[in-house]
Amino acid sequence: MIHKIERLAAIGKFHDYTATGNVTFNKLTLFYADNGIGKTTLTSVIRSMANGDINVISRRKTTGSTLQQAARIVQRVSGADTTHTFRLTGWSNPFPHIEIFDTHFVSENIFSGFDFSEDHKKQLYQFVIGAQGVAIQQQIEQNKQAKTTTRQVIDNIVGQIVQQVGNNLTAEMLNAFLALQQNVNITQAITDAEINLTNARANNIIQALRLPGTIPTIHTGINFDQIIADLQHTTQTISDSALEKLFRDHCSDLSKNAISYPENWLRTGFNYIKSKETDTELACPFCKEKFDLNSDIFTAYIQKFNDELNALITRLQNHSETVSGFNLEAIIQSIENILQTNSDAFTAWTTHLPTTVQTPSTVIFSNTQQLHVQFNAVIEAIRQKQQNPSLPVDPLPLTEFQTSGQTVNSNIADYNTEVNLYNTSINSFKAAIQGIPQAQNEVDRLKRNEKRFDTAIVALCTQYQNEKQNLRTLDAAYPILVQQQEAAAATFFTTYRDTINHYLTNIFKTPFRIDNVVHIPPLGRGTQSRMGYTLTINGQQISFNPADNHNAKDSLSDGDKSTLALAFFLAKLDVDPNKADKIVVFDDPLSSFDRNRRLYTVRILTDLLRGVKQVVVLSHNEHFLHEIYKGIAAAEKKTLHIVENFTTKASSIAELDLDALVRVDYFKHLDELQTFLTAPDITKKEEILGKIRNILEACLRFRFYRQINGNSKTLGSIITDVDNSGINFRDANRADVLGALRLLNGVSAKPHHGEPTPDYNVLGIDPTTITVTELANCVQDALNLIDTRI
């Protein structure tokens, strides 16, 4: 349900309204307000919230307001609130299931069809087939009109494109031209194509250019692992090595002489001898044979030790020769020469190759000076070892130089890979060099492509494509719309006709019905369907030709039209599957209704409340509202009042005691007017003029109830009814009484819903410039009319 209207800013009479007090809605919410102070505006805000049309509100911008238009309405569902906020961009949340009956509904669905020209019969068709049919008919009309306009626009656009693009573009080439894909690098592409053209012209020179070469991997010939191992040899490692070899030889000899587990024998004996190394005399722990340094075993050990040491010295000499034979400087220079030669080749090729071909960029040497330092450190390490083979030398220079060499070779491999890719690109490029005519055509094509996406051409092409798509869409939609139109017409009259006639006959007790519906589609270049049907009154068919007897224009009153509109609206609700979820808003539903139809309407709205979620009724007729109000439980109803600040002319919403309003207004206004005469105050002008109008209207309605047309709802129409009835007043000067009434009506009138503004020059009093004396005289005249003249 709608729970509260919290905020309305710069919308019609609601200049800057923020809810205060108890102004929440209920299942039945009744709004009382004089004409012209905000009922229609409030209904328009709710309509905008329901259908999302922001123009409904934007068209009602408060004159002279500097505020931004805003609205905030709270929806409550099962105790949870959802806020619907309006800003210039629209509503924050949708609010579905709202149906509104007001003059807008009537003018769109009913009254437009009762002038009964052929054009109005087309409008009447829209009413008969309902909201869906109205939308379909409007689409059909728009479809045919749009197709004609679209074809003209397309022809004009084609001419502009051909003229502005030039470059031999013709209308026949337009589709291919439009299909071109945008190349974000078109400028570069044109540059490349022009380079290709230049290359085509320079093909002979290109074919003669040399390819960059690769760099051979560096092979030092240095056994880094062996050198590192040799640098770490000491007397102890040489001794251990000699012993190890001697141990293996003896193990072999023992095995050959059938000794089992010779390793155990030797290890036991060795450990024994080692434990006795301080003794002066040594003997074998097994055979007890004595031995000394001249024993074979010692002689063999010394021989093995010397062999190991001499082998180390030999290897160190070989290492020194190998390292000295590696010409680092020559290798570096050779590589630098290749790099320079390739650099020259790259420069020559760059002039011709596409920019996408990457020039090799790997750096071979990060620091040649460091390489020299590391290499010299290797030489120095070997020299130190040669000077004293029995002492270890730190192998770090070897590992550093080895790592640097590996890094250089890795860089060479990467560089060579890049060179090979570069040469592959060159070979592909050379093979792809076009002939001069072909290259020239490609330059032209790309320049046309570039032109395709100039801002002005893009706009034209987009417009052309949109118009073509629009035309295709319109062509495809037309037969579907016609089918939908036929189905909508049939659906309406099988679904709604009986329900509408039920309201017309059984509820409102009218003598007219709708029968014999025929759909007449548009003919030729026509765009609108018409509805052939019969309207009967008391069984008598009514003609739509104003020249005929019993024609509809003369046979249907404004009240009949309003009744027909309300019947259609109620019938639509009755067959709506979502009726229980509906919030139904009525804005002055009593337009042109007589007393009986007002009573029927009260009963209908009371009954309707039980079948929908919420009913909101806005009216200037407090008695009508009270009739609805008094039949509803207190927990389900709420009465509110749209109040105008007579100084600021701004409206707001306030709580209303409807019982008190109906019961005492007439007498209260009489007292307030009498009080005003004792202390006239021009700032109360608007309030006083309103009270003059109210007491005169109430007095005339009471005194001449039978003579006043039930459809008369304004003081002016009541005065006209009284004048036409010929009744006599207490004052014998009837014309003077009527003149006084018309003067007060004109001065106090607030034109509403299209009524003309009175001619204040003829009246003799202008309410915008009225003086306090003139206002007091108006009050006195009104009281005199009520007391002695009417």
Side-chain angles (χ1 to χ4, degrees):
M1 293 196 302
I2 298 175
H3 178 61
K4 183 191 291 187
I5 298 176
E6 286 191 339
R7 174 79 171 144
L8 296 170
I11 306 174
K13 298 285 288 187
F14 295 94
H15 297 183
D16 190 10
Y17 167 72
T18 300
T20 57
N22 184 11
V23 291
T24 57
F25 286 37
N26 209 330
K27 184 174 179 64
L28 172 67
T29 302
L30 304 174
F31 271 90
Y32 170 73
D34 291 332
N35 289 331
I37 65 171
K39 294 195 305 299
T40 302
T41 297
L42 204 60
T43 304
S44 297
V45 170
I46 296 174
R47 172 175 282 106
S48 173
M49 180 176 65
N51 63 22
D53 184 359
I54 64 175
N55 293 323
V56 173
I57 291 179
S58 62
R59 287 194 297 264
R60 289 182 173 271
K61 171 75 173 179
T62 300
T63 303
S65 176
T66 59
L67 294 178
Q68 179 175 298
Q69 285 190 307
R72 187 168 62 252
I73 298 178
V74 178
Q75 176 188 15
R76 176 163 292 180
V77 180
S78 301
D81 290 347
T82 299
T83 300
H84 300 263
T85 303
F86 174 83
R87 290 290 183 265
L88 295 180
T89 55
W91 289 90
S92 59
N93 300 300
F95 199 141
H97 302 308
I98 296 178
E99 300 290 346
I100 300 174
F101 180 83
D102 60 356
T103 56
H104 178 80
F105 171 85
V106 173
S107 64
E108 279 203 348
N109 295 277
I110 309 298
F111 289 176
S112 62
F114 283 89
D115 209 0
F116 302 111
S117 66
E118 288 302 308
D119 288 339
H120 284 126
K121 287 182 181 179
K122 295 173 184 177
Q123 297 297 328
L124 181 59
Y125 168 82
Q126 298 178 17
F127 150 66
V128 174
I129 61 172
Q132 179 186 7
V134 168
I136 295 173
Q137 178 59 35
Q138 290 173 346
Q139 291 177 59
I140 289 175
E141 295 171 11
Q142 293 168 359
N143 182 283
K144 297 187 78 170
Q145 293 172 355
K147 284 189 289 189
T148 298
T149 302
T150 300
R151 290 188 183 99
Q152 294 172 348
V153 171
I154 288 173
D155 290 343
N156 179 264
I157 294 172
V158 170
Q160 292 184 62
I161 292 175
V162 169
Q163 180 181 13
Q164 293 185 32
V165 171
N167 295 310
N168 298 318
L169 180 67
T170 65
E172 291 72 23
M173 297 168 57
L174 190 58
N175 287 336
F177 179 74
L178 293 170
L180 291 174
Q181 297 297 311
Q182 185 171 16
N183 182 351
V184 296
N185 298 315
I186 187 63
T187 301
Q188 183 60 49
I190 291 174
T191 300
D192 292 343
E194 289 175 335
I195 290 173
N196 289 340
L197 179 58
T198 301
N199 291 337
R201 291 169 176 162
N203 192 26
N204 292 336
I205 297 173
I206 291 172
Q207 297 299 332
L209 291 177
R210 64 177 298 279
L211 297 178
T214 57
I215 299 173
T217 303
I218 298 175
H219 298 287
T220 63
I222 299 173
N223 189 337
F224 287 95
D225 293 338
Q226 185 62 56
I227 296 176
I228 290 172
D230 289 342
L231 290 179
Q232 293 176 322
H233 275 308
T234 64
T235 302
Q236 182 62 46
T237 61
I238 295 171
S239 174
D240 290 344
S241 177
L243 284 173
E244 182 65 27
K245 289 182 179 181
L246 186 63
F247 182 80
R248 286 198 303 269
D249 291 344
H250 278 283
C251 281
S252 176
D253 183 58
L254 290 172
S255 295
K256 290 177 181 179
N257 289 280
I259 300 297
S260 300
Y261 306 109
E263 293 87 352
N264 293 340
W265 281 87
L266 286 173
R267 193 168 302 280
T268 301
F270 177 79
N271 290 334
Y272 172 79
I273 296 299
K274 189 173 182 180
S275 67
K276 299 294 185 177
E277 61 184 356
T278 60
D279 293 350
T280 57
E281 293 185 359
L282 298 175
C284 176
F286 305 112
C287 65
K288 304 302 181 180
E289 179 182 351
K290 293 182 179 181
F291 51 82
D292 55 22
L293 292 177
N294 295 318
S295 299
D296 291 342
I297 187 67
F298 286 108
T299 301
Y301 165 74
I302 292 171
Q303 181 62 42
K304 292 292 185 183
F305 180 87
N306 289 336
D307 289 345
E308 287 294 319
L309 179 60
N310 290 333
L312 173 62
I313 292 172
T314 300
R315 289 198 303 275
L316 290 174
Q317 180 59 36
N318 291 337
H319 294 332
S320 177
E321 293 174 357
T322 300
V323 171
S324 298
F326 177 67
N327 192 339
L328 177 62
E329 179 60 34
I331 295 228
I332 292 175
Q333 186 59 51
S334 175
I335 292 173
E336 294 285 2
N337 291 341
I338 295 173
L339 291 173
Q340 182 58 51
T341 300
N342 285 352
S343 177
D344 295 340
F346 296 152
T347 301
W349 279 110
T350 300
T351 304
H352 306 286
L353 289 175
T355 57
T356 55
V357 177
Q358 296 295 315
T359 301
S361 59
T362 298
V363 176
I364 305 299
F365 302 111
S366 60
N367 189 337
T368 56
Q369 184 62 37
Q370 184 181 25
L371 277 176
H372 283 294
V373 172
Q374 291 175 345
F375 182 65
N376 291 333
V378 168
I379 295 173
E380 178 59 23
I382 294 173
R383 187 188 65 76
Q384 290 179 14
K385 186 64 176 178
Q386 285 178 307
Q387 289 177 350
N388 196 343
S390 63
L391 295 178
V393 174
D394 188 357
L396 180 61
L398 267 297
T399 58
E400 288 180 343
F401 184 69
Q402 182 183 28
T403 301
S404 296
Q406 291 170 345
T407 299
V408 170
N409 276 336
S410 176
N411 293 343
I412 289 173
D414 292 343
Y415 179 83
N416 288 342
T417 298
E418 292 178 343
V419 168
N420 289 332
L421 289 174
Y422 189 78
N423 288 341
T424 298
S425 297
I426 289 175
N427 291 330
S428 299
F429 164 73
K430 289 166 67 177
I433 292 177
Q434 302 168 334
I436 294 176
Q438 184 181 2
Q440 183 65 62
N441 289 339
E442 179 65 7
V443 171
D444 294 342
R445 182 188 71 81
L446 289 172
K447 287 184 176 180
R448 287 196 297 270
N449 193 317
E450 181 183 40
K451 189 67 175 177
R452 164 67 176 85
F453 297 100
D454 281 354
T455 301
I457 301 302
V458 166
L460 285 172
C461 291
T462 300
Q463 186 181 2
Y464 173 84
Q465 291 169 320
N466 289 342
E467 295 298 335
K468 289 289 285 187
Q469 181 58 45
N470 287 343
L471 188 58
R472 288 190 293 270
T473 302
L474 291 168
D475 286 337
Y478 185 78
I480 297 173
L481 290 171
V482 172
Q483 293 174 3
Q484 290 176 345
Q485 186 181 49
E486 295 286 352
T491 299
F492 175 82
F493 278 98
T494 57
T495 306
Y496 294 134
R497 182 187 57 195
D498 292 342
T499 308
I500 291 173
N501 286 334
H502 163 73
Y503 277 104
L504 294 176
T505 303
N506 301 326
I507 304 301
F508 289 113
K509 315 296 183 184
T510 69
F512 50 90
R513 289 174 53 86
I514 292 176
D515 290 307
N516 302 325
V517 177
V518 179
H519 170 226
I520 304 174
L523 302 176
R525 296 190 177 183
T527 60
Q528 291 182 300
S529 292
R530 291 176 295 139
M531 181 60 66
Y533 71 97
T534 58
L535 177 66
T536 63
I537 298 181
N538 294 323
Q540 172 70 47
Q541 183 170 329
I542 303 301
S543 171
F544 293 118
N545 185 349
D548 292 343
N549 294 329
H550 305 295
N551 67 77
K553 184 175 182 180
D554 294 333
S555 299
L556 293 176
S557 67
D558 287 343
D560 292 335
K561 297 182 222 176
S562 297
T563 301
L564 190 60
L566 186 55
F568 170 69
F569 182 82
L570 295 171
K572 178 181 178 183
L573 284 177
D574 282 351
V575 300
D576 195 322
N578 298 312
K579 180 179 178 180
D581 296 324
K582 293 293 184 181
I583 297 171
V584 188
V585 180
F586 295 89
D587 180 8
D588 270 338
L590 298 182
S591 176
S592 303
F593 277 9
D594 58 23
R595 181 175 182 275
N596 288 332
R597 288 178 182 173
R598 284 199 295 270
L599 293 177
Y600 298 150
T601 303
V602 169
R603 288 201 296 270
I604 288 170
L605 297 184
T606 303
D607 292 340
L608 178 64
L609 187 64
R610 292 192 291 270
V612 298
K613 186 177 292 294
Q614 186 179 35
V615 173
V616 179
V617 183
L618 302 95
S619 178
H620 68 285
N621 189 324
E622 66 272 30
H623 301 286
F624 165 67
L625 293 175
H626 193 260
E627 287 299 318
I628 302 172
Y629 172 85
K630 65 185 181 182
I632 305 301
E636 292 188 318
K637 62 188 178 184
K638 185 62 173 289
T639 55
L640 300 172
H641 189 189
I642 301 177
V643 183
E644 182 182 32
N645 183 311
F646 292 104
T647 301
T648 64
K649 308 300 182 184
S651 295
S652 60
I653 299 172
E655 191 174 13
L656 172 68
D657 184 345
L658 188 57
D659 286 326
L661 176 68
V662 173
R663 185 174 60 253
V664 301
D665 269 1
Y666 177 73
F667 301 105
K668 180 173 66 177
H669 291 170
L670 285 174
D671 291 341
E672 290 173 350
L673 291 176
Q674 188 63 50
T675 301
F676 173 80
L677 290 178
T678 63
D681 184 352
I682 195 62
T683 63
K684 297 181 179 180
K685 174 185 65 176
E686 298 294 339
E687 179 183 355
I688 295 302
L689 289 175
K691 288 179 171 54
I692 289 173
R693 188 173 190 82
N694 289 342
I695 64 169
L696 290 176
E697 181 178 335
C699 178
L700 291 172
R701 285 186 185 279
F702 178 76
R703 292 181 65 87
F704 306 112
Y705 174 76
R706 294 178 59 198
Q707 290 80 15
I708 295 174
N709 188 323
N711 293 326
S712 298
K713 62 181 181 180
T714 65
L715 178 58
S717 60
I718 292 172
I719 294 171
T720 299
D721 288 346
V722 171
D723 186 10
N724 292 338
S725 70
I727 59 175
N728 293 318
F729 303 115
R730 284 181 288 173
D731 188 328
N733 191 343
R734 188 172 185 276
D736 191 53
V737 171
L738 290 170
L741 286 171
R742 289 193 175 97
L743 172 64
L744 293 174
N745 172 58
V747 172
S748 64
K750 289 187 176 181
H752 183 53
H753 294 315
E755 295 175 350
T757 301
D759 187 340
Y760 298 125
N761 291 328
V762 174
L763 285 176
I765 299 177
D766 186 341
T768 61
T769 59
I770 191 171
T771 66
V772 68
T773 300
E774 290 173 328
L775 182 58
N777 289 338
C778 287
V779 172
Q780 189 63 62
D781 289 345
L783 295 176
N784 289 340
L785 284 168
I786 291 172
D787 292 342
T788 63
R789 304 189 69 190
I790 296 178

